[in-house]
Amino acid sequence: PLHLIVGCLTTKDPRTLIEPFRDLAASVGTVPVPDHDCFSPEGLAAIAEGLDLPATPFASVEEALAALPEEQAALIAGSLY
C-alpha cells in the first residue's frame, strides 16, 4: 500500500492535491510546511477524511515517516521543499 505524506501552502487547493490519491493511498499523514503560511496538519487531515481517506496529523515529515509501517511505500507531496 501507498502512504501519502502531504503539506500544503495556503495559496494552493489541498483537495485537488489529495483527491487523485483517493483510490491509491492507504493513509494520509499531514504535516506543516516549515516557515511558510500553510494549512495546519489538522485541517489537511480533515480534508483527507472528507475524501474517505484515513488521515493523521503530524508535526513534521520525519515524524510522519517514523509512524509508517516498515517496508511500506510513501509518497511525500505538496508544498514541501
Side-chain angles (χ1 to χ4, degrees), residues 1 3 27 64-73:
H3 299 277
S27 69
L65 285 170
L68 291 177
E70 288 197 31
E71 304 297 323
Q72 298 286 316

Side-chain angles (χ1 to χ4, degrees), residues 27-56:
S27 69
V28 180
T30 58
V31 298
V33 181
D35 303 318
H36 290 81
D37 290 332
C38 64
F39 287 91
S40 70
E42 294 79 13
L44 287 175
I47 291 167
E49 289 171 349
L51 293 168
D52 296 323
L53 285 165
T56 304

Side-chain angles (χ1 to χ4, degrees):
L2 176 70
H3 299 277
L4 180 64
I5 298 172
V6 65
C8 188
L9 298 177
T10 57
T11 57
K12 307 295 182 191
D13 180 2
R15 185 179 179 88
T16 61
L17 174 66
I18 298 168
E19 192 166 24
F21 298 98
R22 193 174 190 176
D23 294 328
L24 299 172
S27 69
V28 180
T30 58
V31 298
V33 181
D35 303 318
H36 290 81
D37 290 332
C38 64
F39 287 91
S40 70
E42 294 79 13
L44 287 175
I47 291 167
E49 289 171 349
L51 293 168
D52 296 323
L53 285 165
T56 304
F58 293 98
S60 68
V61 170
E62 294 81 9
E63 186 180 306
L65 285 170
L68 291 177
E70 288 197 31
E71 304 297 323
Q72 298 286 316
L75 174 65
I76 301 172
S79 307
L80 300 168
Y81 309 101

